[in-house]
């Protein structure tokens, strides 16, 4: 039999052996080194996370709507902003369009166009009489109450007053369209297209274009024109009012230059018909 003391010693040794097996491996660093490293780690500042700001859907929608509104406003301004050039009664004027085209305006005439939209649409509105010298390029259109004139690069004269509409082609080709009858015709140099009060479109061949351009040289040329229209043109180009001319239907044919004073011109026009005129205190003239 084994000794009882020896057996007890063996029983006490077995748990110690088991604990030794579970005991971790001996540390390679001293306790002092470990504490110093821990203290250094604790003193080191923690890394800060980047802050991410989230833009709410409401704020994003407002910003997008504002940007869209600004864009539409700018686009509308470019499309509809209008520049107008006007020649007052008694004076002539010139308009130079964005592409270099030139417009000579007779007295009491005006043109209007959209300068910021010109690259997309070369379109001019005319009231009165003007001579156009158009640069070559895309379609060029002149709009008036009675008709529409389209060209690609040419020179022409348009007379658009009240119910009268006349287009004279000097160079190139011109397409004239009636807004009322929707008729159209293409004319070439020394030809004229006329739209009457009912909108009917007629073309005249081999005309004297100088008659349509006389005003650019301060000349008056009339061939079988109603006297009322002759005096109305004289009044415009001198910048005065001539009263009581509506019922003057006599036909007048004549040629003369513009004088410094209107009265010699009135003598040229009125005396062949035994018509007298009188100057009023206001500066206007009245046909007797």
């Amino acid at each position: 039999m084994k000794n009882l003391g020896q057996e007890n010693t063996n029983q006490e040794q077995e748990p110690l052996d088991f604990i030794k097996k579970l005991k971790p491996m001996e540390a390679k660093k001293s306790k002092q080194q470990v504490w110093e490293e821990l203290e250094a780690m604790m003193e080191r500042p923690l890394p800060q996370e980047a802050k991410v700001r989230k833009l709410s859907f409401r704020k994003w929608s407002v910003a997008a709507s504002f940007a869209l509104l600004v864009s539409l406003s700018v686009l509308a301004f470019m499309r509809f902003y209008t520049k107008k050039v006007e020649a007052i009664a008694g004076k002539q004027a010139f308009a130079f369009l964005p592409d270099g085209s030139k417009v000579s305006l007779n007295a009491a005439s005006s043109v209007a166009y959209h300068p910021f939209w010109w690259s997309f649409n070369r379109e001019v509105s005319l009231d009165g009489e003007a001579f156009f010298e158009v640069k070559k390029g895309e379609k060029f259109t002149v709009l008036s109450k009675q008709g529409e004139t389209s060209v690609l690069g040419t020179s022409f004269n348009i007379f658009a007053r009240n119910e009268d509409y006349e287009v004279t082609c000097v160079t190139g080709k011109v397409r004239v369209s009636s807004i009322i009858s929707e008729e159209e015709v293409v004319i070439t140099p020394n030809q004229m297209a006329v739209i009457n009060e009912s909108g009917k479109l007629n073309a005249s061949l081999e005309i004297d274009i100088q008659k349509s351009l006389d005003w650019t040289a301060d000349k008056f040329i009339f061939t079988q024109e109603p006297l009322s229209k002759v005096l109305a043109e004289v009044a415009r180009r001198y910048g005065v009012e001539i009263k009581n001319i509506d019922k003057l239907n006599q036909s007048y044919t004549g040629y003369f230059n513009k004088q410094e004073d209107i009265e010699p011109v009135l003598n040229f026009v009125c005396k062949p018909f035994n018509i007298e005129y009188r100057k009023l205190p206001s500066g206007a003239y009245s046909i007797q």
Side-chain angles (χ1 to χ4, degrees), residues 2-288:
K2 294 181 179 179
N3 191 342
L4 182 59
Q6 184 180 358
E7 184 177 353
N8 290 337
T9 301
N10 292 336
Q11 289 178 352
E12 292 175 359
Q13 187 68 32
E14 287 178 0
L16 292 174
D17 293 338
F18 180 74
I19 291 173
K20 288 179 179 180
K21 290 180 181 179
L22 296 178
K23 186 177 180 179
M25 295 178 64
E26 183 177 355
K28 296 181 180 180
K29 296 181 180 180
S30 67
K31 186 183 296 183
Q32 183 65 27
Q33 290 177 325
V34 172
W35 278 110
E36 289 177 355
E37 290 181 2
L38 287 174
E39 288 176 354
M41 291 177 62
M42 294 174 67
E43 292 176 358
R44 186 183 306 165
L46 295 176
Q48 296 183 355
E49 295 183 356
K51 294 183 178 180
V52 178
R53 299 181 61 185
K54 294 184 178 180
L55 186 63
S56 66
F57 179 77
R58 176 184 174 86
K59 291 182 179 180
W60 183 89
S61 300
V62 171
S65 300
F66 179 75
L68 179 61
L69 180 62
V70 171
S71 299
L72 291 176
S73 299
V74 171
L75 186 63
F77 174 80
M78 292 176 61
R79 175 64 182 90
F80 297 107
Y81 173 76
T82 302
K83 182 175 182 179
K84 185 176 182 181
V85 180
E86 184 175 9
I88 63 174
K91 300 290 184 179
Q92 295 181 9
F94 299 97
F96 295 93
L97 303 178
D99 62 351
S101 298
K102 179 181 177 182
V103 184
S104 302
L105 292 166
N106 199 353
S109 303
S110 65
V111 291
Y113 60 96
H114 305 297
F116 298 120
W117 203 252
W118 191 258
S119 298
F120 303 99
N121 188 12
R122 298 198 303 170
E123 187 174 277
V124 178
S125 297
L126 169 67
D127 182 18
E129 184 172 18
F131 177 64
F132 292 82
E133 298 172 86
V134 178
K135 293 289 185 179
K136 291 184 178 181
E138 297 298 325
K139 182 180 178 182
F140 184 103
T141 304
V142 181
L143 302 176
S144 297
K145 182 175 66 174
Q146 306 91 326
E148 177 179 306
T149 301
S150 301
V151 299
L152 293 178
T154 183
S155 58
F156 54 95
N157 191 83
I158 299 180
F159 181 91
R161 296 191 189 277
N162 301 321
E163 303 302 325
D164 297 321
Y165 189 82
E166 301 176 357
V167 181
T168 304
C169 181
V170 179
T171 61
K173 290 183 179 181
V174 179
R175 178 184 289 109
V176 182
S177 304
S178 171
I179 294 177
I180 299 176
S181 65
E182 297 184 350
E183 298 174 304
E184 68 175 37
V185 64
V186 175
I187 58 176
T188 55
N190 299 318
Q191 295 182 352
M192 173 187 287
V194 179
I195 300 176
N196 62 22
E197 295 181 4
S198 63
K200 181 67 176 177
L201 179 61
N202 297 296
S204 301
L205 307 179
E206 300 304 323
I207 64 165
D208 181 8
I209 62 174
Q210 191 57 43
K211 176 186 174 183
S212 298
L213 301 178
D214 63 334
W215 64 269
T216 62
D218 279 338
K219 297 179 180 179
F220 292 89
I221 300 177
F222 301 101
T223 304
Q224 295 296 307
E225 293 286 351
L227 190 56
S228 59
K229 291 181 65 175
V230 173
L231 290 173
E233 182 65 17
V234 171
R236 274 191 294 269
R237 289 169 66 174
Y238 277 94
V240 300
E241 181 183 6
I242 302 178
K243 299 183 177 182
N244 303 325
I245 64 175
D246 293 341
K247 296 181 180 181
L248 300 177
N249 297 320
Q250 301 94 320
S251 294
Y252 178 83
T253 298
Y255 169 86
F256 49 88
N257 293 324
K258 184 179 179 181
Q259 308 293 316
E260 291 185 3
D261 188 71
I262 190 176
E263 294 192 6
V265 172
L266 290 177
N267 289 330
F268 282 130
V269 176
C270 294
K271 281 192 173 182
F273 300 98
N274 293 321
I275 295 175
E276 295 183 358
Y277 61 87
R278 179 169 62 92
K279 188 174 183 178
L280 305 176
S282 64
Y285 288 85
S286 176
I287 300 300
Q288 303 300 307

